[in-house]
């Protein structure tokens, strides 16, 4: 059987995946990755057989037929629309959907329900980029391509830890650096893995990006760097933008003081940018997720427009998209402030789309953006919401209020492949096909459209999302409009709409693909818009080198910007939430894969040692993080990588994986006034130590929540043979485990199972194990905080196995019956290489380079996201040897 070419379901790089005999690997022919995959992509095969799939429609907890569920949805939508109006219904969708899914959902809501109330989790991700592009260029268009990273002499990464979040693209940059000596500047409040490999790290105060780039624009103007001939022909607003920059950033000293940077570092950055023509500025969530996200985007774009460094090889601003199809969703109009096909709600656009769709009741106004949408659910304006392929009960700001809103909403519909925090709040749950079972297209960060092809049958009654939306549309009476029978048919209509009455005023135009037949669609190679030709792969398309902006006068707009003020100081910390290397969103898939949970097995609050000392917070100690929205407890990690006064918590953990639950429960409701994107990196919190009475480590075959009460912290990580739980309590252990029944409940073993134990009350060490027919089914170790919980590695090795008498004794004594059987923390998730193995190789073979480690152990040779950590280990071993 020939290999099937498809795409990876994770970040916006859009890597190609080749599947042979059901096993996915990197597609060497795909122009985004040329065969490379990151640690998450390399583990795709581990996600194919995950248990707990949703396989049949459910209503109020009872299994029903598709007809019953869809008829109920259509009837309720029709009733609510008639009684309360179309704006009482909303869709909240996802950058995980395929373009064809997005298109049908958008058409149903805006065209036939008649409301603009469809928004997407891309609002949390890339909305500020969209707004910045539209403000500067007239349309949401990324002007460059990936090849620019390989042809630039300077790459500035702003708010982008691409080493962890876009690792395949990062490796393309690192390879280019080896070839041509590319200089890299990282602009980030944290010393991330990306910053560690940069030539210059500007560790600026959170939120001060506009001041930094206003200062750069003023410096460029003062040094006569701008291309005035180019700007006079292709840009408006140059003088006003430069004047505003000079007012806000009159001197290098002022910029340094306002950003918290050393003046010599600011000057070094400005001089490097000024003298380097081939410069690419990459940016991602650190820019977008802010109350000033759109201004940050335009501050960056201003510097490229002023110098004419855009649309040519190795030059331009470049937004790195977070999700695999956030771009496709933007193309079809999946954001509430868009209509369709890069058209907004101007009367002429509404009329054009109305005629194309034959939709007399089309929405004529923008809908509610994500934060406002869930507020409307909470106050009762929205009576019904359909949530598809996303988990807002864990990922939205003010998570507690979002959950309360959903709990009180008359009708919540959730379509997903697995149970989530959100499906647990839904009245109707629809089983969705997963990425390996779906057919359609996605668009990556460089405007490259790739085919996603199914290579597995969907389990049970799971269906594609487009089919669900189309079925509801037909049941609401729009039979012709939703008569789609395939993804190819939807794509043709999507392409035709992009070209409909498009006289060139919109760059987004897939008209050349509007007549593609089913065979052509099935064989479609990766293709980059604008003006693609069916059947021809394309890379390298750049825009705007000679102007041609999609604005009424054909010119780009430079925007006069004034940096906002920041409220700092006091005993509060600025909370920065974000991604870690091996996890994705709310861990629905990646959290179930042992090798992806071994690098960072639990949530951590990372804060500066000075802040920790001021608050008496210890490394690995428990800390309570709180503000007016709530509180949670997690473990502390002390690191000078964060600035004093700031703190970092990963966004991924949910109630399914930790007692801390989602970090976003403490994120405030503030949004960018233009884009509506939430300020996910600027909430104020207080941190205080929690006096830990005991620490524990639980291993058992089953998952589930440890029933230990409210005075216990726990986090769960999957193992090959079960699950591991980190435990910590702030009440006496005998108050938590007060009987053998409670102990068996914790171990999840029956009364008939054999329970063996070891107790040393003087040292506060207790070990218990449950055996079923001689097999180790569960064990738990307790000790005083900071004490050595020895024997854990051996216990993991024995879990699920029949164990010998010697192994029983060793288990209870906290010893390793088989020396060397325990593994250390996984550093390279792609090839499951642990820290112990790497350090041993460095010591015994006298390695001094990452290349040597790679040749010996393969670590760092795939996606490369572990290379910064490998360099740390080399340095550590060199210092200690």
């Amino acid at each position: 059987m020939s290999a099937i070419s498809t795409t990876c379901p994770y970040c916006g790089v859009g890597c190609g995946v080749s599947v042979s005999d059901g096993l996915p690997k990197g597609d060497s022919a795909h122009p985004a990755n040329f065969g490379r995959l990151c640690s998450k992509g390399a583990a795709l095969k581990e996600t194919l057989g995950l248990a707990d799939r949703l396989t049949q429609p459910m209503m109020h907890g009872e299994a029903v037929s598709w007809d019953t569920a869809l008829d109920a949805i259509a009837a309720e939508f029709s009733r609510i629309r008639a009684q309360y109006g179309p704006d009482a219904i909303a869709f909240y969708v996802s950058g995980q959907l395929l373009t064809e899914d997005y298109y049908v959902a958008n058409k149903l809501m805006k065209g036939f329900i008649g409301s603009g109330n469809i928004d997407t989790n891309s609002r949390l991700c890339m909305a500020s980029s969209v707004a910045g592009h539209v403000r500067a260029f007239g349309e949401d268009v990324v002007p460059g391509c990936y090849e620019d990273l390989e042809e630039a002499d300077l790459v500035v990464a702003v708010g982008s830890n691409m080493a962890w979040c876009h690792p395949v693209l990062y490796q393309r940059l690192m390879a280019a650096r080896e070839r041509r000596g590319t200089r890299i500047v990282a602009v980030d409040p944290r010393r991330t893995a990306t910053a560690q490999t940069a030539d210059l790290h500007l560790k600026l105060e959170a939120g001060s990006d506009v001041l930094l780039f206003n200062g750069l624009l003023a410096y460029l103007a003062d040094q006569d760097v701008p291309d005035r001939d180019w700007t006079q022909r292709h840009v408006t607003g140059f003088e006003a933008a430069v004047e505003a920059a000079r007012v806000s950033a009159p001197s290098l000293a002022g910029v340094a003081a306002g950003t918290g940077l050393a003046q010599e570092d600011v000057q070094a950055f400005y001089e490097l940018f000024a003298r380097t023509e081939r410069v690419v500025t990459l940016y991602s969530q650190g820019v977008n997720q802010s109350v000033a996200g759109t201004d940050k985007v335009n501050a960056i774009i201003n510097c490229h427009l002023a110098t004419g460094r855009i649309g040519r090889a190795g030059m331009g601003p470049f937004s790195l998209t977070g999700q695999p199809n956030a771009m496709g969703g933007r193309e079809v109009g999946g954001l509430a402030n868009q209509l369709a096909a890069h058209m907004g709600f101007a009367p002429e656009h509404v009329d054009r789309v109305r005629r194309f769709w034959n939709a007399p009741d089309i929405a004529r106004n923008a809908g509610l953006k994500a934060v406002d949408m869930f507020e409307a659910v909470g106050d009762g304006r929205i009576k019904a919401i359909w949530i598809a392929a996303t988990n807002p009960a864990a990922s939205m700001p003010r998570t507690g209020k979002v959950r309360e809103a959903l709990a009180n909403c008359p009708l919540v519909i959730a379509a997903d492949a697995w149970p989530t925090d959100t499906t647990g709040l839904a009245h109707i749950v629809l089983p969705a096909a997963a990425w390996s079972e779906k057919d359609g297209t996605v668009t990556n960060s460089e405007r490259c459209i790739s085919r996603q092809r199914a290579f597995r049958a969907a389990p049970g009654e799971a269906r594609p999302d487009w089919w669900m939306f189309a079925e509801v549309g037909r049941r609401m009476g729009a039979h012709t409009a939703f008569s789609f029978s395939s993804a190819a048919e939807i794509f043709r209509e999507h392409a035709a709409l992009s070209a409909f009455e498009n006289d060139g005023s919109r760059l987004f135009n897939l008209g050349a693909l509007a007549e593609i037949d089913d065979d052509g669609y099935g064989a479609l190679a990766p293709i980059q818009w604008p003006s693609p030709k069916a059947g021809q792969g394309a890379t390298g398309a750049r825009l705007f080198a000679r102007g041609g902006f999609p604005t009424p006068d054909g010119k780009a707009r430079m925007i006069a910007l004034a940096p906002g003020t920041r409220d700092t100081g006091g005993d509060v910390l600025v909370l920065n939430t974000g991604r870690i290397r091996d996890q994705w969103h709310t861990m629905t898939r990646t959290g179930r894969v042992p090798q992806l949970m071994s690098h960072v097995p639990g949530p951590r609050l990372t804060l500066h040692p000075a802040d920790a000392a001021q608050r008496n917070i210890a490394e690995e100690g428990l800390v309570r993080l709180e503000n007016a929205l709530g509180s949670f407890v997690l473990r502390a990690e002390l690191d000078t990588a964060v600035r004093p006064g700031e703190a970092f918590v990963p966004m991924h953990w949910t109630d399914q994986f930790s007692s801390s639950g989602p970090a976003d429960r403490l994120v405030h409701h503030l949004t960018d006034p233009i884009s509506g994107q939430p300020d996910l990196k600027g909430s104020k919190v207080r941190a205080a130590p929690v006096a830990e009475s005991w620490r524990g480590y639980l291993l058992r075959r089953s998952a589930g929540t440890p029933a230990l009460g409210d005075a216990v912290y726990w986090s769960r990580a999957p193992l090959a043979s079960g699950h591991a739980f980190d435990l910590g309590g702030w009440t006496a252990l005998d108050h938590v485990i007060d009987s053998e029944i409670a102990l068996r409940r914790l171990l999840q073993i029956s009364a008939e199972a054999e329970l063996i134990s070891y107790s040393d009350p003087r040292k506060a060490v207790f070990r218990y194990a449950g055996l079923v027919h001689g097999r180790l089914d569960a064990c738990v170790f307790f000790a005083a905080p900071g004490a050595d919980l020895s024997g854990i590695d051996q216990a993991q090795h024995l879990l699920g196995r029949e164990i010998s008498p010697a192994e029983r004794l060793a288990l209870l004594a906290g010893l390793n019956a088989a020396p060397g059987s325990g593994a250390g923390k996984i550093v390279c998730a792609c090839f499951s290489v642990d820290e112990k193995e790497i350090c041993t190789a460095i010591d015994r073979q006298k390695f001094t380079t990452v290349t040597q480690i790679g040749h010996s152990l393969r670590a760092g040779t795939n996606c490369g996201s572990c290379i910064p950590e490998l360099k740390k280990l080399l340095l550590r071993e060199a210092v200690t040897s």
Side-chain angles (χ1 to χ4, degrees):
M1 181 179 176
S2 60
I4 297 172
S5 296
T6 184
T7 51
C8 179
Y10 293 121
C11 79
V13 174
C15 294
V17 173
S18 178
V19 183
S20 298
D21 298 322
L23 297 178
K25 63 179 182 178
D27 184 352
S28 60
H30 197 282
N33 60 316
F34 300 107
R36 283 186 180 269
L37 291 176
C38 72
S39 59
K40 295 183 288 291
L44 280 171
K45 63 181 181 297
E46 309 299 333
T47 69
L48 296 179
L50 292 177
D52 302 329
R53 278 295 298 273
L54 299 174
T55 59
Q56 58 188 132
M58 307 287 288
M59 289 182 62
H60 306 288
E62 300 293 332
V64 298
S65 68
W66 270 110
D67 281 337
T68 299
L70 296 169
D71 284 346
I73 294 170
E76 275 299 285
F77 280 2
S78 297
R79 182 191 65 80
I80 291 169
R81 185 174 182 270
Q83 185 173 352
Y84 300 103
D87 290 337
I89 305 170
F91 292 171
Y92 185 64
V93 294
S94 167
Q96 303 289 118
L97 293 178
L98 304 188
T99 297
E100 292 74 7
D101 299 320
Y102 254 127
Y103 181 85
V104 180
N106 190 58
K107 182 179 181 180
L108 175 58
M109 175 54 72
K110 290 176 181 158
F112 291 86
I113 291 175
S115 172
N117 282 346
I118 175 172
D119 211 42
T120 165
N121 61 6
S122 299
R123 180 71 60 190
L124 281 59
C125 175
M126 303 307 300
S128 293
S129 282
V130 175
H133 289 159
V134 172
R135 208 160 53 152
F137 306 145
E139 187 176 342
D140 176 22
V141 179
V142 176
C145 60
Y146 294 162
E147 290 174 355
D148 288 327
L149 302 185
E150 299 163 327
E151 301 191 40
D153 294 318
L154 170 64
V155 171
V156 184
V158 189
S160 173
N161 185 14
M162 61 187 304
W164 279 18
C165 301
H166 301 91
V168 170
L169 202 55
Y170 173 76
Q171 282 308 301
R172 289 183 64 168
L173 173 60
M174 291 296 102
R177 182 195 219 179
E178 288 293 317
R179 292 193 305 270
R180 59 183 294 125
T182 310
R183 303 293 298 277
I184 300 172
V185 175
V187 181
D188 201 302
R190 293 191 300 142
R191 185 165 179 78
T192 63
T194 304
Q196 290 170 22
T197 57
D199 298 286
L200 175 63
H201 176 206
L202 298 180
K203 196 175 180 182
L204 79 176
E205 288 185 11
S208 62
D209 310 67
V210 173
L211 176 60
L212 179 69
F213 281 91
N214 263 9
L216 174 58
L217 180 60
Y219 179 88
L220 294 172
D222 292 343
Q223 300 299 313
D224 199 28
V225 176
D227 186 337
R228 293 300 287 127
D229 178 63
W230 193 88
T231 57
Q232 286 172 4
R233 287 183 287 118
H234 301 305
V235 175
T236 63
F238 174 87
E239 290 79 7
V242 169
E243 178 59 26
R246 285 173 170 154
V247 169
S248 65
S251 65
L252 289 174
V255 172
T259 57
L261 297 169
Q263 183 172 329
E264 55 267 29
D265 287 342
V266 174
Q267 183 166 349
F269 169 48
Y270 288 0
E271 289 176 351
L272 184 59
F273 194 105
R275 68 173 180 262
T276 308
E277 184 179 28
R278 290 191 171 214
V279 55
V280 170
T281 305
L282 301 169
Y283 63 90
S284 195
Q285 312 307 1
V287 168
N288 294 315
Q289 293 175 337
S290 166
V291 290
T294 305
D295 281 356
K296 290 180 182 182
V297 171
N298 285 114
I300 292 168
I301 292 174
N302 278 350
C303 296
H304 282 273
L305 290 175
T307 54
R309 296 171 183 171
I310 187 170
R312 291 181 285 157
M315 303 182 210
F318 202 114
S319 161
L320 291 180
T321 312
Q323 295 191 81
N325 200 33
M327 288 285 281
R330 288 148 62 175
E331 291 162 4
V332 305
L335 291 165
N337 53 302
Q338 301 173 331
L339 181 54
H342 282 204
M343 289 177 279
F345 286 90
E348 63 273 21
H349 293 172
V350 172
D351 179 66
R352 180 180 300 128
V353 178
R354 177 190 61 78
R355 288 183 285 109
F356 183 88
W357 279 344
N358 190 23
D361 295 326
I362 192 170
R364 286 165 169 77
N365 299 293
L368 295 172
K369 298 168 185 174
V371 171
D372 294 333
M373 178 180 288
F374 283 97
E375 286 188 356
V377 173
D379 65 26
R381 283 175 288 157
I382 290 176
K383 311 294 183 183
I385 185 167
W386 186 333
I387 299 165
T390 187
N391 189 15
S395 60
M396 280 293 294
R398 300 192 299 174
T399 303
K401 291 188 179 296
V402 170
R403 293 180 179 189
E404 182 180 338
L406 293 174
N408 293 324
C409 184
L411 178 59
V412 177
I413 304 154
D416 215 309
W418 286 276
T420 67
D421 309 75
T422 302
T423 62
L425 294 167
H427 304 96
I428 301 177
V429 177
L430 305 177
W435 76 277
S436 59
E437 303 144 11
K438 298 180 74 169
D439 194 59
T441 57
V442 294
T443 306
N444 72 2
S445 293
E446 63 167 351
R447 294 174 278 107
C448 183
I449 299 171
S450 295
R451 284 279 281 110
Q452 184 162 310
R453 298 176 175 90
F455 60 90
R456 288 166 58 91
E461 298 179 50
R463 298 288 185 272
D465 290 88
W466 69 258
W467 179 87
M468 305 178 203
F469 289 115
E471 283 292 326
V472 170
R474 284 196 285 267
R475 284 166 164 80
M476 292 182 71
H479 299 279
T480 302
F482 295 97
S483 60
F484 303 115
S485 60
S486 68
E489 191 176 351
I490 301 166
F491 182 83
R492 285 191 287 270
E493 182 174 305
H494 164 55
L497 176 57
S498 73
F500 183 61
E501 298 180 354
N502 189 348
D503 56 3
S505 60
R506 306 190 309 279
L507 294 178
F508 178 62
N509 186 338
L510 305 181
L513 298 172
E515 300 299 325
I516 192 170
D517 61 20
D518 287 359
D519 290 341
Y521 179 79
L524 186 66
I527 189 166
Q528 199 168 21
W529 64 265
S531 301
K533 294 182 180 179
Q536 297 180 359
T539 62
R542 300 181 177 93
L543 300 168
F544 307 142
R546 297 179 179 85
F549 295 93
T551 57
D553 61 4
K555 294 185 176 183
R557 274 61 169 142
M558 287 180 62
I559 308 299
L561 301 169
T565 58
R566 299 184 310 283
D567 178 22
T568 58
D571 66 341
V572 298
L573 300 169
V574 177
L575 177 62
N576 178 2
T577 64
R579 300 182 191 274
I580 59 172
R581 190 187 77 185
D582 295 341
Q583 291 304 321
W584 178 253
H585 284 199
T586 59
M587 300 165 60
T588 307
R589 285 175 300 207
T590 54
R592 298 165 179 241
V593 179
Q595 72 192 65
L596 296 180
M597 285 290 280
S598 55
H599 182 244
V600 181
R604 293 291 187 271
L605 168 69
T606 305
L607 71 166
H608 194 277
D611 289 323
Q614 180 184 348
R615 295 164 173 80
N616 296 315
I617 295 170
E619 177 76 23
E620 280 291 298
L622 294 178
V623 55
R624 185 179 302 278
L625 206 61
E626 63 183 345
N627 60 19
L629 294 170
S631 70
F632 55 78
V633 173
L634 71 172
R635 295 205 178 276
E637 176 182 67
L638 313 187
D639 197 335
T640 57
V642 298
R643 290 176 56 92
E646 300 176 12
F648 177 80
V649 175
M651 60 172 277
H652 309 288
W653 270 264
T654 71
D655 296 319
Q656 297 183 26
F657 292 94
S658 175
S659 58
S660 65
D664 285 333
R665 71 174 62 184
L666 301 187
V667 172
H668 55 207
H669 72 287
L670 299 181
T671 62
D672 180 287
I674 300 170
S675 70
Q677 181 151 359
D679 182 30
L680 295 170
K681 299 182 180 293
S683 300
K684 304 297 193 303
V685 295
R686 287 182 170 81
V690 175
E692 192 171 10
S693 301
W694 53 269
R695 187 163 187 179
Y697 197 79
L698 168 67
L699 298 173
R700 67 187 189 197
R701 301 291 301 281
S702 57
T705 300
L708 294 173
D710 296 332
V712 174
Y713 161 82
W714 63 268
S715 66
R716 175 175 65 87
L719 304 172
S721 55
H723 302 266
F725 296 80
D726 174 24
L727 308 174
W730 49 98
T731 189
L733 181 60
D734 58 8
H735 291 174
V736 178
I737 306 295
D738 58 1
S739 66
E740 182 178 321
I741 293 174
L743 181 60
R744 288 181 179 272
R745 186 186 307 120
L746 175 64
L747 296 173
Q748 292 194 350
I749 58 173
S750 68
E752 291 74 31
E754 182 182 2
L755 181 64
I756 59 176
S757 65
Y758 168 86
S759 298
D760 186 344
R762 185 175 59 85
K763 294 182 178 180
V765 173
F766 306 91
R767 300 188 181 97
Y768 305 93
L771 293 93
V772 178
H773 304 302
R775 182 191 67 198
L776 181 63
D777 235 37
C779 64
V780 62
F781 296 178
F782 295 113
D788 179 23
L789 285 169
S790 56
I792 290 173
D793 289 344
Q794 172 71 356
Q796 288 188 13
H797 178 68
L798 297 175
L799 187 65
R801 290 179 45 200
E802 186 173 339
I803 61 176
S804 67
E807 288 170 328
R808 286 188 180 210
L809 291 174
L811 177 68
L812 293 178
L815 302 174
N816 284 338
S821 62
K825 182 187 83 169
I826 293 292
V827 172
C828 175
C830 294
F831 297 114
S832 297
V833 187
D834 66 72
E835 182 175 322
K836 185 185 298 185
E837 189 177 2
I838 294 166
C839 291
T840 299
I842 293 172
D843 179 57
R844 292 180 178 174
Q845 301 184 53
K846 308 303 179 186
F847 288 157
T848 58
T849 68
V850 169
T851 301
Q852 291 172 319
I853 296 173
H855 286 159
S856 175
L857 303 175
R858 300 177 73 193
T861 61
N862 184 40
C863 76
S865 59
C866 63
I867 287 176
E869 197 160 351
L870 296 177
K871 290 181 177 179
K872 274 187 176 181
L873 294 177
L874 284 166
L875 180 61
R876 188 181 77 184
E877 293 299 308
V879 170
T880 56
S881 63

